[in-house]
Amino acid sequence: NAGVMQNPRHLVRRRGQEARLRCSPMKGHSHVYWYRQLPEEGLKFMVYLQKENIIDESGMPKERFSAEFPKEGPSILRIQQVVRGDSAAYFCASSPSFMNTEAFFGQGTRLTVV
Amino acid sequence: DQQVKQNSPSLSVQEGRISILNCDYTNSMFDYFLWYKKYPAEGPTFLISISSIKDKNEDGRFTVFLNKSAKHLSLHIVPSQPGDSAVYFCAASISGTYKYIFGTGTRLKVLA
């Protein structure tokens, strides 16, 4: 999973601030997925994007969360007005297609809201 | 509603013996299954996958078995090594979609 780059690795935000998490997929991968892992839980799907398109955001909270994958540059997961419950590990994954191919995960961004 | 379940949160196995990790699912539409391994502070690493047209897939020390009628899959690691100590997640998806539904993970500890 070394090819999927996420930054920052650790992010501390005060309640009410904004958090921006970045993800650069593996070379040649045009499909990006964001997952969230809360303590003692599995990974939960949040959003699936292709270049300039949100394909499925059914796992995203309706408010304060947004994602983009612009034509140039990394995918961004943005959380506005963070609350303590947003503290989690956020993982990005990429794949060359969505048809029965494994997704490769980045090392994650651990967000702590204080 | 937890569609993918790993009912054993932890498992300890002696080095050299077999590790068997289990996973159950409820959605009969799932037809592609994967196992990921995760070390602390790292992202999940893909291990092995299986399509529902098969009942077994093997890769080195890792074998995944799928029992569709029981909606059950298992990962066998033989022989187990201390470096295998990690959290193992199973995941399921439906062909033509892109969402992996993950289980809650099993923490494997291989004792030297």
Side-chain angles (χ1 to χ4, degrees):
Chain A
N1 63 354
V4 178
M5 303 301 294
Q6 287 189 251
N7 67 82
R9 291 291 309 276
H10 301 275
L11 183 61
V12 179
R13 284 288 177 266
R14 296 186 187 280
R15 279 178 295 169
Q17 290 185 318
E18 179 180 285
R20 282 190 178 228
L21 290 65
R22 295 174 188 78
C23 169
S24 296
M26 283 183 72
K27 188 175 180 181
H29 288 191
S30 58
H31 301 251
V32 167
Y33 318 82
W34 285 92
Y35 284 80
R36 176 166 67 173
Q37 185 182 21
L38 294 169
E40 306 303 320
E41 292 189 16
L43 291 88
K44 303 287 187 189
F45 169 81
M46 297 182 75
V47 62
Y48 162 48
L49 310 105
Q50 293 181 27
K51 283 285 186 182
E52 298 185 278
N53 284 304
I54 297 174
I55 308 302
D56 183 341
E57 56 183 347
S58 60
M60 291 261 278
K62 294 281 187 284
E63 297 175 354
R64 302 187 298 107
F65 285 72
S66 62
E68 62 177 11
F69 189 15
K71 188 176 179 182
E72 300 290 338
S75 175
I76 306 285
L77 179 67
R78 183 182 177 205
I79 311 172
Q80 294 178 292
Q81 299 175 319
V82 296
V83 300
R84 289 229 169 101
D86 297 333
S87 296
Y90 292 83
F91 293 97
C92 168
S94 72
S95 68
S97 77
F98 63 83
M99 297 297 292
N100 281 8
T101 57
E102 63 271 15
F104 293 86
F105 282 81
Q107 292 186 296
T109 293
R110 184 162 299 278
L111 172 66
T112 302
V113 179
V114 297
Chain B
D1 175 32
Q2 190 68 26
Q3 297 186 68
V4 177
K5 298 177 185 178
Q6 294 177 256
N7 292 318
S8 298
S10 63
L11 174 69
S12 290
V13 170
Q14 207 66 33
E15 181 180 6
R17 306 294 288 268
I18 183 171
S19 295
I20 300 176
L21 296 96
N22 294 304
C23 180
D24 297 291
Y25 60 96
T26 58
N27 189 341
S28 57
M29 298 289 291
F30 289 144
D31 58 3
Y32 188 62
F33 305 90
L34 311 93
W35 283 93
Y36 280 84
K37 177 169 76 173
K38 186 180 180 304
Y39 293 117
E42 293 187 14
T45 302
F46 170 75
L47 266 180
I48 192 167
S49 62
I50 187 166
S51 165
S52 61
I53 62 173
K54 293 184 170 184
D55 54 20
K56 177 182 172 181
N57 189 25
E58 195 170 348
D59 184 2
R61 297 186 297 114
F62 301 92
T63 303
V64 56
F65 295 91
L66 176 62
N67 182 334
K68 289 185 288 292
S69 60
K71 296 193 182 69
H72 176 83
L73 64 155
S74 61
L75 174 69
H76 292 211
I77 306 173
V78 182
S80 301
Q81 299 172 353
D84 297 328
S85 298
V87 178
Y88 289 79
F89 292 97
C90 71
S93 69
I94 301 170
S95 288
T97 70
Y98 34 76
K99 285 186 223 183
Y100 294 167
I101 307 298
F102 280 86
T104 51
T106 296
R107 185 178 303 276
L108 173 67
K109 189 170 185 179
V110 179
L111 307 168

PDB file of all heavy atoms in Angstrom, chain B residues 50-63:
ATOM      1  N   ILE B  50     -11.334 -13.771  -3.057  1.00  0.00           N
ATOM      2  CA  ILE B  50     -11.992 -14.919  -3.674  1.00  0.00           C
ATOM      3  C   ILE B  50     -13.301 -14.472  -4.283  1.00  0.00           C
ATOM      4  O   ILE B  50     -14.045 -13.679  -3.689  1.00  0.00           O
ATOM      5  CB  ILE B  50     -12.193 -16.061  -2.654  1.00  0.00           C
ATOM      6  CG1 ILE B  50     -12.716 -17.327  -3.351  1.00  0.00           C
ATOM      7  CG2 ILE B  50     -13.130 -15.650  -1.524  1.00  0.00           C
ATOM      8  CD1 ILE B  50     -12.627 -18.575  -2.490  1.00  0.00           C
ATOM      9  N   SER B  51     -13.567 -14.970  -5.467  1.00  0.00           N
ATOM     10  CA  SER B  51     -14.837 -14.722  -6.126  1.00  0.00           C
ATOM     11  C   SER B  51     -15.798 -15.846  -5.766  1.00  0.00           C
ATOM     12  O   SER B  51     -15.370 -16.961  -5.462  1.00  0.00           O
ATOM     13  CB  SER B  51     -14.620 -14.683  -7.639  1.00  0.00           C
ATOM     14  OG  SER B  51     -15.846 -14.793  -8.314  1.00  0.00           O
ATOM     15  N   SER B  52     -17.086 -15.559  -5.827  1.00  0.00           N
ATOM     16  CA  SER B  52     -18.073 -16.567  -5.426  1.00  0.00           C
ATOM     17  C   SER B  52     -18.151 -17.753  -6.391  1.00  0.00           C
ATOM     18  O   SER B  52     -18.806 -18.741  -6.091  1.00  0.00           O
ATOM     19  CB  SER B  52     -19.461 -15.933  -5.298  1.00  0.00           C
ATOM     20  OG  SER B  52     -19.866 -15.389  -6.538  1.00  0.00           O
ATOM     21  N   ILE B  53     -17.484 -17.672  -7.531  1.00  0.00           N
ATOM     22  CA  ILE B  53     -17.478 -18.830  -8.440  1.00  0.00           C
ATOM     23  C   ILE B  53     -16.485 -19.890  -7.961  1.00  0.00           C
ATOM     24  O   ILE B  53     -16.442 -20.993  -8.496  1.00  0.00           O
ATOM     25  CB  ILE B  53     -17.166 -18.420  -9.889  1.00  0.00           C
ATOM     26  CG1 ILE B  53     -15.775 -17.793 -10.002  1.00  0.00           C
ATOM     27  CG2 ILE B  53     -18.234 -17.473 -10.407  1.00  0.00           C
ATOM     28  CD1 ILE B  53     -15.352 -17.526 -11.443  1.00  0.00           C
ATOM     29  N   LYS B  54     -15.684 -19.532  -6.975  1.00  0.00           N
ATOM     30  CA  LYS B  54     -14.715 -20.483  -6.422  1.00  0.00           C
ATOM     31  C   LYS B  54     -15.082 -20.808  -4.986  1.00  0.00           C
ATOM     32  O   LYS B  54     -15.836 -20.066  -4.342  1.00  0.00           O
ATOM     33  CB  LYS B  54     -13.313 -19.881  -6.438  1.00  0.00           C
ATOM     34  CG  LYS B  54     -12.722 -19.657  -7.813  1.00  0.00           C
ATOM     35  CD  LYS B  54     -11.294 -19.162  -7.652  1.00  0.00           C
ATOM     36  CE  LYS B  54     -10.569 -19.153  -8.971  1.00  0.00           C
ATOM     37  NZ  LYS B  54      -9.147 -18.757  -8.808  1.00  0.00           N
ATOM     38  N   ASP B  55     -14.521 -21.877  -4.462  1.00  0.00           N
ATOM     39  CA  ASP B  55     -14.693 -22.148  -3.043  1.00  0.00           C
ATOM     40  C   ASP B  55     -13.359 -22.156  -2.297  1.00  0.00           C
ATOM     41  O   ASP B  55     -13.320 -22.304  -1.072  1.00  0.00           O
ATOM     42  CB  ASP B  55     -15.448 -23.465  -2.805  1.00  0.00           C
ATOM     43  CG  ASP B  55     -14.813 -24.633  -3.521  1.00  0.00           C
ATOM     44  OD1 ASP B  55     -13.626 -24.544  -3.883  1.00  0.00           O
ATOM     45  OD2 ASP B  55     -15.516 -25.648  -3.727  1.00  0.00           O
ATOM     46  N   LYS B  56     -12.288 -21.951  -3.046  1.00  0.00           N
ATOM     47  CA  LYS B  56     -10.969 -21.934  -2.410  1.00  0.00           C
ATOM     48  C   LYS B  56     -10.018 -21.112  -3.271  1.00  0.00           C
ATOM     49  O   LYS B  56     -10.051 -21.186  -4.513  1.00  0.00           O
ATOM     50  CB  LYS B  56     -10.462 -23.376  -2.281  1.00  0.00           C
ATOM     51  CG  LYS B  56      -9.077 -23.528  -1.712  1.00  0.00           C
ATOM     52  CD  LYS B  56      -8.667 -25.006  -1.688  1.00  0.00           C
ATOM     53  CE  LYS B  56      -7.217 -25.186  -1.294  1.00  0.00           C
ATOM     54  NZ  LYS B  56      -6.823 -26.617  -1.297  1.00  0.00           N
ATOM     55  N   ASN B  57      -9.176 -20.359  -2.593  1.00  0.00           N
ATOM     56  CA  ASN B  57      -8.100 -19.656  -3.293  1.00  0.00           C
ATOM     57  C   ASN B  57      -6.871 -19.677  -2.392  1.00  0.00           C
ATOM     58  O   ASN B  57      -6.976 -19.408  -1.191  1.00  0.00           O
ATOM     59  CB  ASN B  57      -8.505 -18.224  -3.639  1.00  0.00           C
ATOM     60  CG  ASN B  57      -7.504 -17.550  -4.547  1.00  0.00           C
ATOM     61  OD1 ASN B  57      -6.781 -18.225  -5.288  1.00  0.00           O
ATOM     62  ND2 ASN B  57      -7.449 -16.233  -4.512  1.00  0.00           N
ATOM     63  N   GLU B  58      -5.736 -19.988  -3.000  1.00  0.00           N
ATOM     64  CA  GLU B  58      -4.527 -20.185  -2.212  1.00  0.00           C
ATOM     65  C   GLU B  58      -3.422 -19.265  -2.722  1.00  0.00           C
ATOM     66  O   GLU B  58      -3.260 -19.079  -3.934  1.00  0.00           O
ATOM     67  CB  GLU B  58      -4.090 -21.648  -2.371  1.00  0.00           C
ATOM     68  CG  GLU B  58      -3.081 -22.139  -1.393  1.00  0.00           C
ATOM     69  CD  GLU B  58      -2.892 -23.656  -1.486  1.00  0.00           C
ATOM     70  OE1 GLU B  58      -3.712 -24.322  -2.158  1.00  0.00           O
ATOM     71  OE2 GLU B  58      -1.933 -24.159  -0.897  1.00  0.00           O
ATOM     72  N   ASP B  59      -2.669 -18.712  -1.786  1.00  0.00           N
ATOM     73  CA  ASP B  59      -1.519 -17.886  -2.150  1.00  0.00           C
ATOM     74  C   ASP B  59      -0.466 -18.056  -1.073  1.00  0.00           C
ATOM     75  O   ASP B  59      -0.527 -17.431  -0.014  1.00  0.00           O
ATOM     76  CB  ASP B  59      -1.939 -16.419  -2.277  1.00  0.00           C
ATOM     77  CG  ASP B  59      -0.798 -15.526  -2.742  1.00  0.00           C
ATOM     78  OD1 ASP B  59       0.311 -16.048  -3.011  1.00  0.00           O
ATOM     79  OD2 ASP B  59      -0.998 -14.297  -2.844  1.00  0.00           O
ATOM     80  N   GLY B  60       0.491 -18.937  -1.374  1.00  0.00           N
ATOM     81  CA  GLY B  60       1.549 -19.187  -0.396  1.00  0.00           C
ATOM     82  C   GLY B  60       0.994 -19.782   0.883  1.00  0.00           C
ATOM     83  O   GLY B  60       0.302 -20.797   0.869  1.00  0.00           O
ATOM     84  N   ARG B  61       1.273 -19.124   1.992  1.00  0.00           N
ATOM     85  CA  ARG B  61       0.804 -19.630   3.287  1.00  0.00           C
ATOM     86  C   ARG B  61      -0.662 -19.316   3.563  1.00  0.00           C
ATOM     87  O   ARG B  61      -1.210 -19.748   4.583  1.00  0.00           O
ATOM     88  CB  ARG B  61       1.666 -19.027   4.407  1.00  0.00           C
ATOM     89  CG  ARG B  61       3.140 -19.409   4.355  1.00  0.00           C
ATOM     90  CD  ARG B  61       3.909 -18.902   5.577  1.00  0.00           C
ATOM     91  NE  ARG B  61       3.931 -17.451   5.664  1.00  0.00           N
ATOM     92  CZ  ARG B  61       3.325 -16.755   6.626  1.00  0.00           C
ATOM     93  NH1 ARG B  61       2.657 -17.381   7.592  1.00  0.00           N
ATOM     94  NH2 ARG B  61       3.390 -15.445   6.625  1.00  0.00           N
ATOM     95  N   PHE B  62      -1.273 -18.542   2.706  1.00  0.00           N
ATOM     96  CA  PHE B  62      -2.641 -18.060   2.943  1.00  0.00           C
ATOM     97  C   PHE B  62      -3.630 -18.764   2.008  1.00  0.00           C
ATOM     98  O   PHE B  62      -3.414 -18.836   0.798  1.00  0.00           O
ATOM     99  CB  PHE B  62      -2.708 -16.545   2.710  1.00  0.00           C
ATOM    100  CG  PHE B  62      -1.777 -15.755   3.582  1.00  0.00           C
ATOM    101  CD1 PHE B  62      -0.501 -15.438   3.157  1.00  0.00           C
ATOM    102  CD2 PHE B  62      -2.183 -15.351   4.846  1.00  0.00           C
ATOM    103  CE1 PHE B  62       0.360 -14.720   3.970  1.00  0.00           C
ATOM    104  CE2 PHE B  62      -1.333 -14.626   5.664  1.00  0.00           C
ATOM    105  CZ  PHE B  62      -0.054 -14.310   5.231  1.00  0.00           C
ATOM    106  N   THR B  63      -4.696 -19.275   2.604  1.00  0.00           N
ATOM    107  CA  THR B  63      -5.767 -19.899   1.836  1.00  0.00           C
ATOM    108  C   THR B  63      -7.093 -19.352   2.333  1.00  0.00           C
ATOM    109  O   THR B  63      -7.316 -19.289   3.548  1.00  0.00           O
ATOM    110  CB  THR B  63      -5.747 -21.430   1.993  1.00  0.00           C
ATOM    111  OG1 THR B  63      -4.470 -21.929   1.605  1.00  0.00           O
ATOM    112  CG2 THR B  63      -6.828 -22.070   1.112  1.00  0.00           C
TER     113      THR B  63
END
